[in-house]
Amino acid sequence: MTALPPDPEPDLTPGSEPGGGVNPGETPPDSGSTTTGLSHHERTPPKATAGRIVIAIIVLFAVLVAAMLLTRAFLLV
């Protein structure tokens, strides 16, 4: 099966002159395209600061838990 060419047929396009040109003031016909609209938009990767903030929160939580456990251990003695 042979695919049709993406360009419009000059003989069948209204407003075209012989040889494929267009009349002055006319807009030439657009060629077919398969490159636009076929791929999905890729998300931008998260910023490096977002990862650092998450790591800082985890470290802060771990330090607070360790401080709580050490305080409790010394109070029980």
Side-chain angles (χ1 to χ4, degrees):
M1 181 167 151
T2 304
L4 296 174
D7 294 328
E9 184 64 41
D11 296 335
L12 303 177
T13 305
S16 63
E17 295 180 338
V22 293
N23 296 325
E26 290 282 331
T27 303
D30 198 14
S31 296
S33 175
T34 58
T35 59
T36 58
L38 291 180
S39 65
H40 66 283
H41 294 288
E42 293 185 18
R43 293 181 10 199
T44 57
K47 303 284 184 197
T49 55
R52 290 181 183 149
I53 290 172
V54 170
I55 291 172
I57 290 172
I58 292 171
V59 168
L60 180 65
F61 182 73
V63 167
L64 289 174
V65 169
M68 182 188 68
L69 293 174
L70 286 173
T71 304
R72 186 172 177 150
F74 284 120
L75 288 178
L76 290 177
V77 173

